[in-house]
Amino acid sequence: MTPIVNGIKRQYGRQIKVSIANMDQPNGKALAKQYGVVGTPTILLLDSAGNQVNSLRGAFPVAMVEQAVQELLAQE
């Protein structure tokens, strides 16, 4: 999933903040608990206030991630 996330970061990085949380690190575990993430890969889409507006769980094509990002941008 890292190549997909990095591609999204390159394409949309000026419009959105893209972060990767490592579940093996304490801060990654804390974020997973905060947002109710129970498995990986999981992509969370948050609005500018930090509220979760969408999530993608499991393996999915890059087109699905791009569509979710575009929907998020349309809401902002």
Side-chain angles (χ1 to χ4, degrees):
M1 293 309 317
T2 301
I4 290 175
V5 173
N6 287 337
I8 294 296
K9 189 173 190 174
R10 279 190 302 277
Q11 185 170 352
Y12 296 98
R14 292 186 178 176
Q15 298 169 283
I16 62 172
K17 178 181 177 185
V18 178
S19 301
I20 297 176
N22 184 335
M23 297 304 135
D24 294 328
Q25 300 295 322
N27 61 339
K29 288 179 184 178
L31 282 171
K33 184 176 180 180
Q34 178 181 348
Y35 288 102
V37 174
V38 294
T40 59
T42 298
I43 292 181
L44 301 176
L45 298 160
L46 311 175
D47 64 16
S48 58
N51 300 309
Q52 183 177 331
V53 296
N54 199 351
S55 64
L56 303 170
R57 292 178 172 84
F60 33 79
V62 68
M64 184 181 288
V65 180
E66 287 178 351
Q67 179 180 350
V69 169
Q70 290 171 4
E71 289 172 1
L72 174 65
L73 291 171
Q75 293 177 10
E76 290 290 311

